[in-house]
């Protein structure tokens, strides 16, 4: 079936009700080839030429590419000036009569930050009386280090405006399986299914039983392991004198290198060439002066990489 097997879509509805306390029916679920295809199907369904999409930056780079492919316009909100949160004033400046969608990623890639209740309420107030979708890229929403609460999807009074794109890659360590799903109201799913079916027809059928099994798995032990790695790398970066916000979820940390007087691209190129460690420059996420470090590797690797990073930073300061 193009939408995915009914028993899997029913299982997802049960899961979302249990975990996020929201009610969806199977005809409001599309089984997708990971969150990437869910995002692409959603954007292709909603966007027309010259529509505007608000993206808080730093942000995952793929959003911009899909939006621009549809000849729509990206409008950014710089969250580096607001502790990686979104203010009422920023939303007021960004929203126009051409705004079609706001994209939210929480926990965030690349910062690891989670949008707080004030940010969520700011967005809710800004869109509740307007024809604006809120696209929630929730692929990290089970990797949370404090008490986990539902994200923007909790605003069921505007359910028809909310689209959730979900992946199995992060929460269940299944990136190579390419499993995901989209949640949206029935009318949106009806139109999104037209895009979905001509891109992939349907997700590989033999994977869908595994998707059912995964939803009964508790990722808490994995999250605790990530938390220990986060605590170690955060302490090391602080000791190096870098300005950094402690991640609240996901498995990334996003320290500022502004004080070092070097671009993020040059920093990462030199670090890779001279110290054999790969990290991602902040400019890839439309925010220079930062670097993204992933800690979804062994503690041994993290310790070695931090030792080399400290040595590299010390050499830059001596110059």
């Amino acid at each position: 079936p193009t939408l995915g097997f009914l028993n899997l879509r029913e299982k997802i509805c049960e899961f979302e009700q249990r975990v996020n306390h929201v009610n969806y029916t199977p005809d409001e679920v599309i089984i997708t080839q990971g969150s990437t295809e869910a995002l692409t199907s959603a954007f292709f369904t909603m966007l027309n030429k010259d529509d505007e999409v608000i993206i808080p930056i730093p942000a995952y780079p793929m959003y911009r590419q899909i939006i621009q492919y549809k000849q729509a316009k990206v409008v950014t909100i710089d969250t580096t000036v607001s502790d990686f949160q979104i203010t009422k004033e920023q939303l007021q400046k960004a929203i126009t009569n051409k705004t079609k969608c706001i994209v939210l990623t929480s926990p965030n890639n690349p910062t690891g930050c989670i949008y707080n209740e004030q940010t969520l309420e700011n967005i809710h107030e800004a869109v509740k009386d307007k024809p604006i979708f809120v696209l929630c890229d929730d692929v990290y929403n089970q990797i949370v280090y404090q008490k986990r609460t539902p994200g923007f999807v909790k605003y069921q009074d505007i359910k028809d405006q909310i689209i959730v794109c979900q992946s199995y890659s992060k929460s269940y360590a299944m990136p190579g399986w390419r499993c995901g799903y989209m949640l949206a109201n029935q009318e949106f799913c009806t139109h999104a299914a037209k895009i979905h079916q001509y891109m992939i027809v349907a997700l590989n059928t033999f994977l869908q039983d595994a998707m059912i099994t995964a939803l009964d798995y508790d990722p808490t032990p994995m999250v605790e392991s990530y938390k220990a790695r986060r605590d170690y790398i955060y302490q090391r970066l602080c000791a190096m004198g870098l300005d950094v916000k402690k991640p609240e979820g996901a498995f990334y940390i996003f320290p500022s290198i502004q004080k070092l007087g070097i671009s993020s691209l040059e920093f990462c190129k030199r670090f890779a060439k001279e110290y054999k460690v790969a990290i991602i420059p902040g400019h890839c996420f439309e925010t220079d002066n930062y670097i993204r470090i992933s800690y979804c590797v062994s503690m041994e690797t993290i310790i070695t990489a931090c030792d080399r990073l400290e040595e590299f930073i010390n050499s830059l300061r001596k110059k």
Side-chain angles (χ1 to χ4, degrees), residues 274-287:
E274 298 171 24
Y275 291 85
K276 312 304 179 187
V277 180
I279 54 178
I280 306 298
H283 90 97
C284 291
F285 309 97
E286 304 195 32
T287 309

Side-chain angles (χ1 to χ4, degrees), residues 220-262:
T220 300
M222 184 171 69
V223 175
E224 289 300 315
S225 175
Y226 282 140
K227 184 178 180 181
R229 299 177 218 178
R230 176 207 63 174
D231 290 345
Y232 176 83
I233 198 168
Y234 175 74
Q235 176 269 324
R236 288 293 305 269
L237 292 173
C238 289
M240 294 176 205
L242 296 181
D243 294 327
V244 61
K245 184 173 176 59
K246 195 173 190 178
E248 300 162 294
F251 39 69
Y252 308 112
I253 193 164
F254 203 57
S256 171
I257 58 167
Q258 186 170 9
K259 295 177 182 178
L260 300 176
I262 184 173

Side-chain angles (χ1 to χ4, degrees), residues 27-307:
D27 55 6
E28 296 175 315
V29 183
I30 300 177
I31 307 304
T32 61
Q33 192 173 44
S35 62
T36 297
E37 194 249 319
L39 289 162
T40 303
S41 295
F43 280 132
F44 272 46
T45 301
M46 73 170 74
L47 293 180
N48 296 305
K49 183 179 179 181
D50 297 328
D51 283 343
E52 294 179 355
V53 179
I54 296 173
I55 299 180
I57 58 171
Y60 184 50
M62 188 186 75
Y63 306 139
R64 177 179 285 275
Q65 308 311 316
I66 303 173
I67 293 162
Q68 290 181 338
Y69 184 86
K70 289 292 294 178
Q71 300 182 56
K73 179 183 177 183
V74 173
V75 176
T76 59
I77 290 177
D78 183 3
T79 67
T80 64
V81 300
S82 50
D83 204 26
F84 298 130
Q85 299 297 325
I86 302 171
T87 68
K88 290 181 181 179
E89 293 73 22
Q90 288 172 322
L91 287 167
Q92 288 170 354
K93 291 179 181 178
I95 292 174
T96 73
N97 59 5
K98 293 184 178 181
T99 303
K100 180 65 69 72
C101 178
I102 299 175
V103 179
L104 300 181
T105 311
S106 181
N108 184 264
N109 175 12
T111 68
C113 291
I114 294 174
Y115 291 133
N116 60 31
E117 290 301 314
Q118 186 60 63
T119 286
L120 297 181
E121 187 55 35
N122 289 342
I123 297 166
H124 177 249
E125 287 297 313
V127 305
K128 67 179 183 179
D129 298 318
K130 298 181 177 68
I132 298 174
F133 290 108
V134 178
L135 195 158
C136 301
D137 185 357
D138 280 355
V139 301
Y140 299 98
N141 75 346
Q142 289 195 75
I143 306 176
V144 174
Y145 302 126
Q146 302 300 325
K147 182 180 179 181
R148 188 186 176 282
T149 58
F152 193 83
V153 71
K154 68 182 180 181
Y155 291 108
Q156 290 291 282
D157 60 308
I158 57 167
K159 178 182 175 181
D160 287 351
Q161 295 170 243
I162 298 174
I163 302 152
V164 176
C165 296
Q166 187 56 276
S167 167
Y168 279 63
S169 295
K170 311 304 189 292
S171 298
Y172 305 114
M174 295 169 65
W177 296 60
R178 310 312 305 146
C179 298
Y181 59 87
M182 178 198 300
L183 300 175
N185 71 75
Q186 184 179 359
E187 181 183 6
F188 190 92
C189 282
T190 297
H191 294 294
K194 300 170 188 174
I195 304 295
H196 163 79
Q197 71 178 338
Y198 289 118
M199 283 200 292
I200 72 163
V201 180
L203 184 69
N204 300 12
T205 55
F206 59 86
L207 300 180
Q208 296 187 46
D209 286 338
M211 294 176 71
I212 292 174
T213 300
L215 291 177
D216 287 325
Y217 174 77
D218 181 3
T220 300
M222 184 171 69
V223 175
E224 289 300 315
S225 175
Y226 282 140
K227 184 178 180 181
R229 299 177 218 178
R230 176 207 63 174
D231 290 345
Y232 176 83
I233 198 168
Y234 175 74
Q235 176 269 324
R236 288 293 305 269
L237 292 173
C238 289
M240 294 176 205
L242 296 181
D243 294 327
V244 61
K245 184 173 176 59
K246 195 173 190 178
E248 300 162 294
F251 39 69
Y252 308 112
I253 193 164
F254 203 57
S256 171
I257 58 167
Q258 186 170 9
K259 295 177 182 178
L260 300 176
I262 184 173
S263 73
S264 63
L265 180 59
E266 182 64 21
F267 183 100
C268 293
K269 286 171 65 176
R270 286 189 54 186
F271 191 41
K273 184 176 182 179
E274 298 171 24
Y275 291 85
K276 312 304 179 187
V277 180
I279 54 178
I280 306 298
H283 90 97
C284 291
F285 309 97
E286 304 195 32
T287 309
D288 210 0
N289 299 323
Y290 290 82
I291 52 174
R292 192 197 76 173
I293 300 171
S294 170
Y295 48 89
C296 62
V297 291
S298 70
M299 184 64 82
E300 180 183 10
T301 298
I302 291 171
I303 293 170
T304 301
C306 284
D307 290 342

